[in-house]
Amino acid sequence: MFVHTPDIPTLRLCSLLATLSYATIFLVLWARRRNETYLLYWGMSSALYATGLLGFEFLNALYAPVGAALNYGIVALSDFLLLMGMRRFDGKSAFAPWMIVPVVGTMAAVAVPLMAVDDPATAMMMSHIVGAVALGSCMVICACAILFGGDREAGTPRKIVAFGMLVYGPTYLLSIWIEIRGPLGAGMLDLLPMLQDQVLLGVLNLGLLATPWERALREVTDAAYRDPLTGAWNRTAFKQQEAALALPRNSLFLIDIDHFKTINDTYGHAAGDAVLTTFAARIEAVARARDGMFVRLGGDEFVLVAPTTDDGDALALAEQVRTVPDLAGSGLPRYSLCIGLSRVHSGETTLSLAMARADRSLYRAKAAGRDQVAA
């Protein structure tokens, strides 16, 4: 049975033109924003992949060990340049020493069959198969590093980039299997990667272009929902999350800094601001550890909502918060906290009743002499 397959040189040309287009976009963007060096890495990645595509075209006629190893190394390096750009985007050092191993390993794996096998046709086929496995492995390694190597939860564009790279690995394996198994196999090691390029190059590069946009959008959203002084969530964010927080497993801690006006009057507003920001940073860390939410209601009033297992656990967490103002050697004025504690009851769909209970508890803590927890 005769099966028509797409023309591989034409597909390679399409991949080449698309890659050069994305390289141009990234490099032009970088030229206008030189401090965003991740754009340079992404542009270099596309340019290097285009160089590799040209190399595959010319090396079909002359498959020398050095040239083949160099060409596969160029393609592998283009993958890691993409990863290096993502690391720079995350604020990390772009290069990590371990990246040398997959690139050099790919080059060595391709060169060995060409040097060790006497029959040229067999050597070329073995080298091509080993090279496909190595390149697929590089893509999977880079995809995992992009997906799990970020400091923050992976956003949608990052997941799209990682998914696009992950797909290359199984496709390389499929092309090897078809090449070895059946009559359709002739040229599949070249054909399938070129076919997937037509879809995945766009997916990868559009995901990369959307990554900075998503971060900018997140920063704008955070600015709308964050207190500008302390960085804690504000009332707007609290109201938006109220229904999700109204769970029986949650406890609510209404926190007030004792005699905060006196701190401002005695030491100045700059010292008062320093107290607020230092306190908020420490309680924010407690909230993250507990998978809770920390909010500045206004002035020196804050609220923490966090899961607790029982009344004893809630009291222990309240005491942990109360003892946070340990400022020995910090240069900040000493201060103490009053905390009103309540637990969300079963059947409550908002936090209004829990807030009212916590407010009454807070009043009792103040009336009892401050620097204490009341529940």
Side-chain angles (χ1 to χ4, degrees), residues 55-68 114 124:
F56 283 124
E57 185 67 32
F58 292 117
L59 285 174
N60 282 337
L62 182 62
Y63 214 71
V66 174
L114 293 173
M124 185 180 297

Side-chain angles (χ1 to χ4, degrees), residues 221-291:
T221 302
D222 278 359
Y225 292 126
R226 293 280 186 179
D227 172 58
L229 175 63
T230 64
W233 296 109
N234 59 23
R235 281 182 179 269
T236 303
F238 188 47
K239 282 292 183 185
Q240 194 171 75
Q241 295 296 318
E242 184 177 5
L245 294 169
L247 302 172
R249 65 186 179 89
N250 282 343
S251 294
L252 188 146
F253 307 82
L254 200 55
I255 307 165
D256 192 82
I257 298 178
D258 293 331
H259 306 297
F260 184 72
K261 184 177 184 301
T262 302
I263 294 175
N264 278 333
D265 293 342
T266 304
Y267 299 97
H269 288 278
D273 288 348
V275 166
L276 290 173
T277 54
T278 302
F279 164 73
R282 294 184 179 187
I283 305 302
E284 184 71 50
V286 173
R288 284 198 301 269
R290 283 274 186 159
D291 196 24

Side-chain angles (χ1 to χ4, degrees), residues 9 134 154 168 173 185 208 231 293 352 358-359:
Y168 274 94
L173 294 178
L208 291 174
M293 185 176 190
S352 57
D359 192 48

Side-chain angles (χ1 to χ4, degrees), residues 66-300:
V66 174
L70 180 61
N71 202 63
Y72 274 92
I74 286 172
V75 176
L77 182 58
S78 71
D79 298 335
F80 283 92
L81 280 170
L82 192 152
L83 171 60
M84 290 163 70
M86 194 66 77
R87 286 171 60 91
R88 286 298 304 134
F89 178 80
D90 292 333
K92 300 178 181 179
S93 172
F95 175 74
W98 65 265
M99 296 177 183
I100 297 173
V101 177
V103 176
V104 174
T106 298
M107 297 173 67
V110 168
V112 167
L114 293 173
M115 294 185 295
V117 179
D118 293 331
D119 179 57
T122 303
M124 185 180 297
M125 177 59 67
M126 290 178 62
S127 177
H128 209 9
I129 290 173
V130 171
V133 172
L135 289 180
S137 300
C138 288
M139 295 289 269
V140 171
I141 290 169
C142 291
C144 292
I146 288 171
L147 192 59
F148 303 113
D151 293 331
R152 304 185 65 166
E153 182 181 351
T156 300
R158 183 188 293 264
K159 291 177 181 177
I160 289 172
V161 172
F163 172 77
M165 298 186 80
L166 281 173
V167 171
Y168 274 94
T171 305
Y172 276 122
L173 294 178
L174 177 63
S175 66
I176 293 169
W177 183 82
I178 296 175
E179 184 86 25
I180 295 172
R181 289 280 298 177
L184 303 181
M188 281 295 165
L189 282 172
D190 292 320
L191 177 61
L192 286 186
M194 289 298 98
L195 281 174
Q196 69 181 353
D197 265 0
Q198 310 314 306
V199 176
L200 294 181
L201 282 178
V203 170
L204 282 171
N205 287 284
L206 290 175
L208 291 174
L209 287 168
T211 300
W213 173 82
E214 187 203 37
R215 182 171 69 178
L217 180 62
R218 184 170 60 238
E219 289 174 351
V220 170
T221 302
D222 278 359
Y225 292 126
R226 293 280 186 179
D227 172 58
L229 175 63
T230 64
W233 296 109
N234 59 23
R235 281 182 179 269
T236 303
F238 188 47
K239 282 292 183 185
Q240 194 171 75
Q241 295 296 318
E242 184 177 5
L245 294 169
L247 302 172
R249 65 186 179 89
N250 282 343
S251 294
L252 188 146
F253 307 82
L254 200 55
I255 307 165
D256 192 82
I257 298 178
D258 293 331
H259 306 297
F260 184 72
K261 184 177 184 301
T262 302
I263 294 175
N264 278 333
D265 293 342
T266 304
Y267 299 97
H269 288 278
D273 288 348
V275 166
L276 290 173
T277 54
T278 302
F279 164 73
R282 294 184 179 187
I283 305 302
E284 184 71 50
V286 173
R288 284 198 301 269
R290 283 274 186 159
D291 196 24
M293 185 176 190
F294 178 60
V295 179
R296 186 185 183 192
L297 297 176
D300 60 323

